[in-house]
Amino acid sequence: MMVTGVENMHTYCFVFALGYLTVCQVTRVYIFDYGQYSADFSGPMMIITQKITSLACEIHDGMFRKNEELTPSQRSLAVRRMPSLLEYLSYTCNFMGILAGPLCSYKDYITFIEGRSYHAAQSGESGKEGIQGERTEPSPNAAVVQKLLICGLSLLFHLTICRRLPVEYNIDVHFQATASWPTRVLYLYVSLLAARPKYYFAWTLADAINNAAGFGFRGYDKNGAARWDLISNLRIQQIEMSTSFKMFLDNWNIQTALWLKRVCYERVSTSPTIQTFILSAIWHGVYPGYYLTFLTGTVMTLAARAVRNNFRHYFLQPPQLKLLYDILTWIVTQIAISYTVVPFVLLSVKPSFMFYSSWYYSLHSLGILVLLLLPVKKTPRGKNTHENAQLSRSKKLDEGENSLGQNSFSTTNSVCSQSQEVASRHSSLKH
């Protein structure tokens, strides 16, 4: 960072950090313990890689690029001065997030360390200054206890039910030969559902640790309750009730999705979705199953987007038809997600292809067929629901951009229209 300068800092840091991480992953997988998903040095390395690359991009945006060239989220996160060595090491190696994250922006972390997070969250909520002034600094105790209860339930579920429903049974020869198709589909969904609680446990515990230290406060909701979800990594209810591929991805490993968007999706000029999935696979590791999952996920994401854009508006009214549409899309989404992530769990090439061949590559073929037959509408980049959440706490954005952020996790047409307004203002500034 010090040698290359702000002009090319983000590129060199990205290549070096990701390259070093890949060397570590290769060493762990092919020299030490192939197939063993153990807690080791590569986990913290993955988190530090996210922090190094995101900070480099934020410094590049703040010290090199012109303000009008930045998106609203990039402006709110831009770092305007080079951090000191102490600040840099504190951000990348702080004890709260060194093992499992979650990732946070440099500005959010420094605001917390300097003791300004509570006041910054208050000042970010327009029109409530009088009410906020009467409030004392919120306690994280309730949020921490709630998250620890979720951790306990997730761990209990993982240690009991998950062991009785192994994902590997999907490729059992006897099961494939004797089970009916409805049984195989149901077991695929249930076995992948049982595989998720270990992630719920790890990410919720990491979030609770940060909250216990006082980090993670994001203002108050409309009912006046304190929100401790600034760096939360998942929303379990939305994951399990997802009615689209995008909704699932928006609520799963949230901070990593934000990192992928900020360092890749917003900054590449060609095939951003494909490049983002490839980066995600490289970051996760070198097991072939990761690459099969993310390549399959690329097809599924593009196909789901095409279907949604071409058909969803026909099912919005009346409410009964919308309910039927939601039920059908929930079923299809859960099956597609389970089908996609099987190689991520199986890791190796042979069992992954055994599973897909037992399904005759049906969802791959269906996804490709959808892409060939349906017109794909391009969606504006850099305006997804995660970034809307970040906009809500930025006190430097104007009222329109704040209103975009306060509807943080919705997927409504109003968010799309507000995103287009921001884009048009950005375009007019450039002119």
Side-chain angles (χ1 to χ4, degrees), residues 259-289:
W259 171 71
L260 291 168
K261 176 177 180 290
R262 291 167 182 164
V263 303
C264 181
Y265 190 84
E266 288 183 336
R267 299 177 189 272
V268 298
S269 55
T270 57
S271 304
T273 300
I274 296 175
Q275 292 196 49
T276 301
F277 272 107
I278 292 174
L279 171 60
S280 183
I282 295 172
W283 177 78
H284 276 87
V286 293
Y287 284 115

PDB file of all heavy atoms in Angstrom, residues 259-289:
ATOM      1  N   TRP A 259     -18.572  -7.454   0.137  1.00  0.00           N
ATOM      2  CA  TRP A 259     -17.172  -7.370  -0.278  1.00  0.00           C
ATOM      3  C   TRP A 259     -17.019  -7.712  -1.765  1.00  0.00           C
ATOM      4  O   TRP A 259     -16.332  -7.001  -2.502  1.00  0.00           O
ATOM      5  CB  TRP A 259     -16.339  -8.324   0.575  1.00  0.00           C
ATOM      6  CG  TRP A 259     -14.928  -8.489   0.105  1.00  0.00           C
ATOM      7  CD1 TRP A 259     -13.925  -7.571   0.174  1.00  0.00           C
ATOM      8  CD2 TRP A 259     -14.361  -9.643  -0.515  1.00  0.00           C
ATOM      9  NE1 TRP A 259     -12.765  -8.076  -0.359  1.00  0.00           N
ATOM     10  CE2 TRP A 259     -13.003  -9.360  -0.790  1.00  0.00           C
ATOM     11  CE3 TRP A 259     -14.859 -10.900  -0.861  1.00  0.00           C
ATOM     12  CZ2 TRP A 259     -12.144 -10.277  -1.406  1.00  0.00           C
ATOM     13  CZ3 TRP A 259     -14.013 -11.818  -1.462  1.00  0.00           C
ATOM     14  CH2 TRP A 259     -12.684 -11.510  -1.726  1.00  0.00           C
ATOM     15  N   LEU A 260     -17.667  -8.779  -2.204  1.00  0.00           N
ATOM     16  CA  LEU A 260     -17.604  -9.165  -3.614  1.00  0.00           C
ATOM     17  C   LEU A 260     -18.149  -8.069  -4.510  1.00  0.00           C
ATOM     18  O   LEU A 260     -17.602  -7.793  -5.586  1.00  0.00           O
ATOM     19  CB  LEU A 260     -18.391 -10.462  -3.830  1.00  0.00           C
ATOM     20  CG  LEU A 260     -17.800 -11.727  -3.213  1.00  0.00           C
ATOM     21  CD1 LEU A 260     -18.820 -12.865  -3.241  1.00  0.00           C
ATOM     22  CD2 LEU A 260     -16.529 -12.134  -3.951  1.00  0.00           C
ATOM     23  N   LYS A 261     -19.201  -7.427  -4.060  1.00  0.00           N
ATOM     24  CA  LYS A 261     -19.801  -6.358  -4.848  1.00  0.00           C
ATOM     25  C   LYS A 261     -18.872  -5.154  -4.943  1.00  0.00           C
ATOM     26  O   LYS A 261     -18.691  -4.575  -6.017  1.00  0.00           O
ATOM     27  CB  LYS A 261     -21.131  -5.944  -4.224  1.00  0.00           C
ATOM     28  CG  LYS A 261     -21.810  -4.769  -4.904  1.00  0.00           C
ATOM     29  CD  LYS A 261     -23.138  -4.501  -4.245  1.00  0.00           C
ATOM     30  CE  LYS A 261     -23.824  -3.322  -4.925  1.00  0.00           C
ATOM     31  NZ  LYS A 261     -23.140  -2.061  -4.627  1.00  0.00           N
ATOM     32  N   ARG A 262     -18.246  -4.790  -3.816  1.00  0.00           N
ATOM     33  CA  ARG A 262     -17.439  -3.570  -3.782  1.00  0.00           C
ATOM     34  C   ARG A 262     -16.108  -3.718  -4.501  1.00  0.00           C
ATOM     35  O   ARG A 262     -15.651  -2.776  -5.155  1.00  0.00           O
ATOM     36  CB  ARG A 262     -17.179  -3.169  -2.323  1.00  0.00           C
ATOM     37  CG  ARG A 262     -18.417  -2.694  -1.590  1.00  0.00           C
ATOM     38  CD  ARG A 262     -18.152  -2.613  -0.095  1.00  0.00           C
ATOM     39  NE  ARG A 262     -19.332  -2.217   0.650  1.00  0.00           N
ATOM     40  CZ  ARG A 262     -19.455  -2.356   1.954  1.00  0.00           C
ATOM     41  NH1 ARG A 262     -18.482  -2.913   2.661  1.00  0.00           N
ATOM     42  NH2 ARG A 262     -20.552  -1.968   2.561  1.00  0.00           N
ATOM     43  N   VAL A 263     -15.477  -4.891  -4.389  1.00  0.00           N
ATOM     44  CA  VAL A 263     -14.143  -5.039  -4.972  1.00  0.00           C
ATOM     45  C   VAL A 263     -14.180  -5.627  -6.378  1.00  0.00           C
ATOM     46  O   VAL A 263     -13.180  -5.546  -7.099  1.00  0.00           O
ATOM     47  CB  VAL A 263     -13.225  -5.910  -4.081  1.00  0.00           C
ATOM     48  CG1 VAL A 263     -13.125  -5.329  -2.683  1.00  0.00           C
ATOM     49  CG2 VAL A 263     -13.691  -7.351  -4.038  1.00  0.00           C
ATOM     50  N   CYS A 264     -15.308  -6.225  -6.779  1.00  0.00           N
ATOM     51  CA  CYS A 264     -15.365  -6.869  -8.092  1.00  0.00           C
ATOM     52  C   CYS A 264     -16.539  -6.384  -8.931  1.00  0.00           C
ATOM     53  O   CYS A 264     -16.350  -5.795  -9.982  1.00  0.00           O
ATOM     54  CB  CYS A 264     -15.415  -8.396  -7.928  1.00  0.00           C
ATOM     55  SG  CYS A 264     -15.448  -9.307  -9.488  1.00  0.00           S
ATOM     56  N   TYR A 265     -17.763  -6.641  -8.460  1.00  0.00           N
ATOM     57  CA  TYR A 265     -18.944  -6.409  -9.292  1.00  0.00           C
ATOM     58  C   TYR A 265     -19.043  -4.972  -9.775  1.00  0.00           C
ATOM     59  O   TYR A 265     -19.362  -4.714 -10.939  1.00  0.00           O
ATOM     60  CB  TYR A 265     -20.198  -6.784  -8.502  1.00  0.00           C
ATOM     61  CG  TYR A 265     -21.468  -6.824  -9.326  1.00  0.00           C
ATOM     62  CD1 TYR A 265     -21.810  -7.952 -10.042  1.00  0.00           C
ATOM     63  CD2 TYR A 265     -22.317  -5.724  -9.384  1.00  0.00           C
ATOM     64  CE1 TYR A 265     -22.966  -8.005 -10.800  1.00  0.00           C
ATOM     65  CE2 TYR A 265     -23.476  -5.759 -10.127  1.00  0.00           C
ATOM     66  CZ  TYR A 265     -23.797  -6.905 -10.837  1.00  0.00           C
ATOM     67  OH  TYR A 265     -24.944  -6.935 -11.594  1.00  0.00           O
ATOM     68  N   GLU A 266     -18.757  -4.014  -8.900  1.00  0.00           N
ATOM     69  CA  GLU A 266     -18.861  -2.601  -9.273  1.00  0.00           C
ATOM     70  C   GLU A 266     -17.694  -2.124 -10.131  1.00  0.00           C
ATOM     71  O   GLU A 266     -17.796  -1.080 -10.774  1.00  0.00           O
ATOM     72  CB  GLU A 266     -18.918  -1.728  -8.013  1.00  0.00           C
ATOM     73  CG  GLU A 266     -20.212  -1.814  -7.250  1.00  0.00           C
ATOM     74  CD  GLU A 266     -20.221  -0.863  -6.069  1.00  0.00           C
ATOM     75  OE1 GLU A 266     -19.134  -0.496  -5.578  1.00  0.00           O
ATOM     76  OE2 GLU A 266     -21.327  -0.488  -5.633  1.00  0.00           O
ATOM     77  N   ARG A 267     -16.591  -2.873 -10.160  1.00  0.00           N
ATOM     78  CA  ARG A 267     -15.361  -2.348 -10.753  1.00  0.00           C
ATOM     79  C   ARG A 267     -14.957  -3.022 -12.056  1.00  0.00           C
ATOM     80  O   ARG A 267     -14.017  -2.564 -12.700  1.00  0.00           O
ATOM     81  CB  ARG A 267     -14.219  -2.469  -9.732  1.00  0.00           C
ATOM     82  CG  ARG A 267     -14.488  -1.664  -8.468  1.00  0.00           C
ATOM     83  CD  ARG A 267     -13.423  -1.812  -7.416  1.00  0.00           C
ATOM     84  NE  ARG A 267     -13.835  -1.197  -6.173  1.00  0.00           N
ATOM     85  CZ  ARG A 267     -13.640   0.083  -5.859  1.00  0.00           C
ATOM     86  NH1 ARG A 267     -13.004   0.891  -6.688  1.00  0.00           N
ATOM     87  NH2 ARG A 267     -14.082   0.571  -4.705  1.00  0.00           N
ATOM     88  N   VAL A 268     -15.626  -4.113 -12.440  1.00  0.00           N
ATOM     89  CA  VAL A 268     -15.293  -4.763 -13.705  1.00  0.00           C
ATOM     90  C   VAL A 268     -16.265  -4.303 -14.778  1.00  0.00           C
ATOM     91  O   VAL A 268     -17.404  -3.936 -14.483  1.00  0.00           O
ATOM     92  CB  VAL A 268     -15.324  -6.299 -13.567  1.00  0.00           C
ATOM     93  CG1 VAL A 268     -14.288  -6.755 -12.564  1.00  0.00           C
ATOM     94  CG2 VAL A 268     -16.711  -6.791 -13.161  1.00  0.00           C
ATOM     95  N   SER A 269     -15.795  -4.322 -16.002  1.00  0.00           N
ATOM     96  CA  SER A 269     -16.606  -3.778 -17.098  1.00  0.00           C
ATOM     97  C   SER A 269     -17.325  -4.852 -17.895  1.00  0.00           C
ATOM     98  O   SER A 269     -18.311  -4.568 -18.569  1.00  0.00           O
ATOM     99  CB  SER A 269     -15.716  -2.959 -18.046  1.00  0.00           C
ATOM    100  OG  SER A 269     -14.627  -3.742 -18.511  1.00  0.00           O
ATOM    101  N   THR A 270     -16.848  -6.085 -17.858  1.00  0.00           N
ATOM    102  CA  THR A 270     -17.468  -7.151 -18.640  1.00  0.00           C
ATOM    103  C   THR A 270     -17.867  -8.314 -17.736  1.00  0.00           C
ATOM    104  O   THR A 270     -17.127  -8.693 -16.838  1.00  0.00           O
ATOM    105  CB  THR A 270     -16.503  -7.682 -19.718  1.00  0.00           C
ATOM    106  OG1 THR A 270     -15.296  -8.142 -19.097  1.00  0.00           O
ATOM    107  CG2 THR A 270     -16.155  -6.574 -20.713  1.00  0.00           C
ATOM    108  N   SER A 271     -19.044  -8.867 -18.002  1.00  0.00           N
ATOM    109  CA  SER A 271     -19.574 -10.045 -17.299  1.00  0.00           C
ATOM    110  C   SER A 271     -19.384  -9.957 -15.785  1.00  0.00           C
ATOM    111  O   SER A 271     -18.725 -10.807 -15.180  1.00  0.00           O
ATOM    112  CB  SER A 271     -18.900 -11.325 -17.821  1.00  0.00           C
ATOM    113  OG  SER A 271     -19.048 -11.449 -19.211  1.00  0.00           O
ATOM    114  N   PRO A 272     -19.940  -8.939 -15.132  1.00  0.00           N
ATOM    115  CA  PRO A 272     -19.697  -8.775 -13.687  1.00  0.00           C
ATOM    116  C   PRO A 272     -20.202  -9.940 -12.861  1.00  0.00           C
ATOM    117  O   PRO A 272     -19.558 -10.332 -11.880  1.00  0.00           O
ATOM    118  CB  PRO A 272     -20.437  -7.477 -13.357  1.00  0.00           C
ATOM    119  CG  PRO A 272     -21.451  -7.321 -14.439  1.00  0.00           C
ATOM    120  CD  PRO A 272     -20.843  -7.912 -15.670  1.00  0.00           C
ATOM    121  N   THR A 273     -21.357 -10.518 -13.230  1.00  0.00           N
ATOM    122  CA  THR A 273     -21.895 -11.632 -12.444  1.00  0.00           C
ATOM    123  C   THR A 273     -20.964 -12.838 -12.492  1.00  0.00           C
ATOM    124  O   THR A 273     -20.652 -13.454 -11.470  1.00  0.00           O
ATOM    125  CB  THR A 273     -23.288 -12.024 -12.959  1.00  0.00           C
ATOM    126  OG1 THR A 273     -24.174 -10.898 -12.844  1.00  0.00           O
ATOM    127  CG2 THR A 273     -23.858 -13.193 -12.155  1.00  0.00           C
ATOM    128  N   ILE A 274     -20.501 -13.170 -13.691  1.00  0.00           N
ATOM    129  CA  ILE A 274     -19.621 -14.334 -13.848  1.00  0.00           C
ATOM    130  C   ILE A 274     -18.310 -14.116 -13.108  1.00  0.00           C
ATOM    131  O   ILE A 274     -17.830 -14.994 -12.376  1.00  0.00           O
ATOM    132  CB  ILE A 274     -19.366 -14.608 -15.349  1.00  0.00           C
ATOM    133  CG1 ILE A 274     -20.678 -14.993 -16.045  1.00  0.00           C
ATOM    134  CG2 ILE A 274     -18.322 -15.697 -15.529  1.00  0.00           C
ATOM    135  CD1 ILE A 274     -20.548 -15.165 -17.543  1.00  0.00           C
ATOM    136  N   GLN A 275     -17.702 -12.927 -13.268  1.00  0.00           N
ATOM    137  CA  GLN A 275     -16.432 -12.657 -12.600  1.00  0.00           C
ATOM    138  C   GLN A 275     -16.582 -12.662 -11.077  1.00  0.00           C
ATOM    139  O   GLN A 275     -15.674 -13.084 -10.361  1.00  0.00           O
ATOM    140  CB  GLN A 275     -15.867 -11.320 -13.075  1.00  0.00           C
ATOM    141  CG  GLN A 275     -15.428 -11.317 -14.531  1.00  0.00           C
ATOM    142  CD  GLN A 275     -14.539 -10.121 -14.854  1.00  0.00           C
ATOM    143  OE1 GLN A 275     -13.587  -9.834 -14.147  1.00  0.00           O
ATOM    144  NE2 GLN A 275     -14.854  -9.429 -15.945  1.00  0.00           N
ATOM    145  N   THR A 276     -17.720 -12.196 -10.593  1.00  0.00           N
ATOM    146  CA  THR A 276     -17.948 -12.177  -9.159  1.00  0.00           C
ATOM    147  C   THR A 276     -18.053 -13.594  -8.600  1.00  0.00           C
ATOM    148  O   THR A 276     -17.489 -13.903  -7.544  1.00  0.00           O
ATOM    149  CB  THR A 276     -19.226 -11.389  -8.828  1.00  0.00           C
ATOM    150  OG1 THR A 276     -19.090 -10.045  -9.324  1.00  0.00           O
ATOM    151  CG2 THR A 276     -19.463 -11.335  -7.329  1.00  0.00           C
ATOM    152  N   PHE A 277     -18.749 -14.481  -9.308  1.00  0.00           N
ATOM    153  CA  PHE A 277     -18.843 -15.865  -8.862  1.00  0.00           C
ATOM    154  C   PHE A 277     -17.476 -16.557  -8.903  1.00  0.00           C
ATOM    155  O   PHE A 277     -17.148 -17.358  -8.016  1.00  0.00           O
ATOM    156  CB  PHE A 277     -19.849 -16.636  -9.727  1.00  0.00           C
ATOM    157  CG  PHE A 277     -21.265 -16.551  -9.223  1.00  0.00           C
ATOM    158  CD1 PHE A 277     -22.211 -15.785  -9.876  1.00  0.00           C
ATOM    159  CD2 PHE A 277     -21.648 -17.242  -8.088  1.00  0.00           C
ATOM    160  CE1 PHE A 277     -23.514 -15.701  -9.415  1.00  0.00           C
ATOM    161  CE2 PHE A 277     -22.958 -17.172  -7.613  1.00  0.00           C
ATOM    162  CZ  PHE A 277     -23.888 -16.401  -8.271  1.00  0.00           C
ATOM    163  N   ILE A 278     -16.670 -16.259  -9.915  1.00  0.00           N
ATOM    164  CA  ILE A 278     -15.330 -16.854  -9.994  1.00  0.00           C
ATOM    165  C   ILE A 278     -14.475 -16.376  -8.826  1.00  0.00           C
ATOM    166  O   ILE A 278     -13.760 -17.172  -8.191  1.00  0.00           O
ATOM    167  CB  ILE A 278     -14.672 -16.506 -11.345  1.00  0.00           C
ATOM    168  CG1 ILE A 278     -15.413 -17.204 -12.491  1.00  0.00           C
ATOM    169  CG2 ILE A 278     -13.201 -16.913 -11.347  1.00  0.00           C
ATOM    170  CD1 ILE A 278     -14.929 -16.801 -13.869  1.00  0.00           C
ATOM    171  N   LEU A 279     -14.522 -15.077  -8.527  1.00  0.00           N
ATOM    172  CA  LEU A 279     -13.775 -14.557  -7.384  1.00  0.00           C
ATOM    173  C   LEU A 279     -14.231 -15.223  -6.088  1.00  0.00           C
ATOM    174  O   LEU A 279     -13.407 -15.573  -5.239  1.00  0.00           O
ATOM    175  CB  LEU A 279     -13.944 -13.038  -7.293  1.00  0.00           C
ATOM    176  CG  LEU A 279     -13.386 -12.380  -6.024  1.00  0.00           C
ATOM    177  CD1 LEU A 279     -11.887 -12.628  -5.897  1.00  0.00           C
ATOM    178  CD2 LEU A 279     -13.691 -10.882  -6.013  1.00  0.00           C
ATOM    179  N   SER A 280     -15.527 -15.414  -5.936  1.00  0.00           N
ATOM    180  CA  SER A 280     -16.043 -16.053  -4.730  1.00  0.00           C
ATOM    181  C   SER A 280     -15.495 -17.468  -4.592  1.00  0.00           C
ATOM    182  O   SER A 280     -15.112 -17.900  -3.491  1.00  0.00           O
ATOM    183  CB  SER A 280     -17.574 -16.082  -4.765  1.00  0.00           C
ATOM    184  OG  SER A 280     -18.098 -16.635  -3.581  1.00  0.00           O
ATOM    185  N   ALA A 281     -15.425 -18.205  -5.708  1.00  0.00           N
ATOM    186  CA  ALA A 281     -14.894 -19.563  -5.668  1.00  0.00           C
ATOM    187  C   ALA A 281     -13.417 -19.562  -5.281  1.00  0.00           C
ATOM    188  O   ALA A 281     -12.978 -20.365  -4.454  1.00  0.00           O
ATOM    189  CB  ALA A 281     -15.088 -20.241  -7.028  1.00  0.00           C
ATOM    190  N   ILE A 282     -12.628 -18.652  -5.876  1.00  0.00           N
ATOM    191  CA  ILE A 282     -11.197 -18.576  -5.567  1.00  0.00           C
ATOM    192  C   ILE A 282     -10.992 -18.229  -4.100  1.00  0.00           C
ATOM    193  O   ILE A 282     -10.137 -18.804  -3.415  1.00  0.00           O
ATOM    194  CB  ILE A 282     -10.506 -17.540  -6.478  1.00  0.00           C
ATOM    195  CG1 ILE A 282     -10.566 -17.996  -7.936  1.00  0.00           C
ATOM    196  CG2 ILE A 282      -9.054 -17.310  -6.043  1.00  0.00           C
ATOM    197  CD1 ILE A 282     -10.072 -16.947  -8.918  1.00  0.00           C
ATOM    198  N   TRP A 283     -11.771 -17.285  -3.590  1.00  0.00           N
ATOM    199  CA  TRP A 283     -11.632 -16.867  -2.196  1.00  0.00           C
ATOM    200  C   TRP A 283     -11.974 -18.005  -1.242  1.00  0.00           C
ATOM    201  O   TRP A 283     -11.322 -18.181  -0.211  1.00  0.00           O
ATOM    202  CB  TRP A 283     -12.531 -15.663  -1.931  1.00  0.00           C
ATOM    203  CG  TRP A 283     -12.524 -15.201  -0.507  1.00  0.00           C
ATOM    204  CD1 TRP A 283     -11.564 -14.458   0.124  1.00  0.00           C
ATOM    205  CD2 TRP A 283     -13.525 -15.464   0.484  1.00  0.00           C
ATOM    206  NE1 TRP A 283     -11.912 -14.246   1.443  1.00  0.00           N
ATOM    207  CE2 TRP A 283     -13.106 -14.843   1.689  1.00  0.00           C
ATOM    208  CE3 TRP A 283     -14.737 -16.158   0.465  1.00  0.00           C
ATOM    209  CZ2 TRP A 283     -13.864 -14.899   2.853  1.00  0.00           C
ATOM    210  CZ3 TRP A 283     -15.492 -16.220   1.634  1.00  0.00           C
ATOM    211  CH2 TRP A 283     -15.039 -15.590   2.808  1.00  0.00           C
ATOM    212  N   HIS A 284     -12.992 -18.808  -1.561  1.00  0.00           N
ATOM    213  CA  HIS A 284     -13.389 -19.893  -0.669  1.00  0.00           C
ATOM    214  C   HIS A 284     -12.319 -20.975  -0.580  1.00  0.00           C
ATOM    215  O   HIS A 284     -12.176 -21.606   0.469  1.00  0.00           O
ATOM    216  CB  HIS A 284     -14.705 -20.515  -1.135  1.00  0.00           C
ATOM    217  CG  HIS A 284     -15.918 -19.789  -0.651  1.00  0.00           C
ATOM    218  ND1 HIS A 284     -16.480 -18.727  -1.324  1.00  0.00           N
ATOM    219  CD2 HIS A 284     -16.680 -19.967   0.468  1.00  0.00           C
ATOM    220  CE1 HIS A 284     -17.530 -18.284  -0.660  1.00  0.00           C
ATOM    221  NE2 HIS A 284     -17.678 -19.005   0.437  1.00  0.00           N
ATOM    222  N   GLY A 285     -11.579 -21.230  -1.639  1.00  0.00           N
ATOM    223  CA  GLY A 285     -10.551 -22.254  -1.578  1.00  0.00           C
ATOM    224  C   GLY A 285     -10.317 -22.924  -2.907  1.00  0.00           C
ATOM    225  O   GLY A 285     -10.761 -22.443  -3.955  1.00  0.00           O
ATOM    226  N   VAL A 286      -9.646 -24.059  -2.884  1.00  0.00           N
ATOM    227  CA  VAL A 286      -9.237 -24.719  -4.123  1.00  0.00           C
ATOM    228  C   VAL A 286      -9.895 -26.079  -4.310  1.00  0.00           C
ATOM    229  O   VAL A 286      -9.512 -26.821  -5.217  1.00  0.00           O
ATOM    230  CB  VAL A 286      -7.694 -24.878  -4.153  1.00  0.00           C
ATOM    231  CG1 VAL A 286      -7.021 -23.525  -4.260  1.00  0.00           C
ATOM    232  CG2 VAL A 286      -7.187 -25.632  -2.924  1.00  0.00           C
ATOM    233  N   TYR A 287     -10.864 -26.419  -3.489  1.00  0.00           N
ATOM    234  CA  TYR A 287     -11.593 -27.654  -3.731  1.00  0.00           C
ATOM    235  C   TYR A 287     -12.404 -27.522  -5.023  1.00  0.00           C
ATOM    236  O   TYR A 287     -13.063 -26.500  -5.253  1.00  0.00           O
ATOM    237  CB  TYR A 287     -12.544 -27.960  -2.578  1.00  0.00           C
ATOM    238  CG  TYR A 287     -11.868 -28.490  -1.340  1.00  0.00           C
ATOM    239  CD1 TYR A 287     -11.882 -27.767  -0.150  1.00  0.00           C
ATOM    240  CD2 TYR A 287     -11.229 -29.721  -1.354  1.00  0.00           C
ATOM    241  CE1 TYR A 287     -11.269 -28.254   0.996  1.00  0.00           C
ATOM    242  CE2 TYR A 287     -10.613 -30.224  -0.212  1.00  0.00           C
ATOM    243  CZ  TYR A 287     -10.631 -29.483   0.953  1.00  0.00           C
ATOM    244  OH  TYR A 287     -10.022 -29.966   2.080  1.00  0.00           O
ATOM    245  N   PRO A 288     -12.377 -28.541  -5.880  1.00  0.00           N
ATOM    246  CA  PRO A 288     -13.133 -28.466  -7.143  1.00  0.00           C
ATOM    247  C   PRO A 288     -14.627 -28.239  -6.926  1.00  0.00           C
ATOM    248  O   PRO A 288     -15.287 -27.612  -7.762  1.00  0.00           O
ATOM    249  CB  PRO A 288     -12.862 -29.835  -7.791  1.00  0.00           C
ATOM    250  CG  PRO A 288     -11.581 -30.306  -7.178  1.00  0.00           C
ATOM    251  CD  PRO A 288     -11.579 -29.777  -5.777  1.00  0.00           C
ATOM    252  N   GLY A 289     -15.162 -28.760  -5.813  1.00  0.00           N
ATOM    253  CA  GLY A 289     -16.588 -28.591  -5.560  1.00  0.00           C
ATOM    254  C   GLY A 289     -17.003 -27.144  -5.455  1.00  0.00           C
ATOM    255  O   GLY A 289     -18.129 -26.778  -5.833  1.00  0.00           O
TER     256      GLY A 289
END
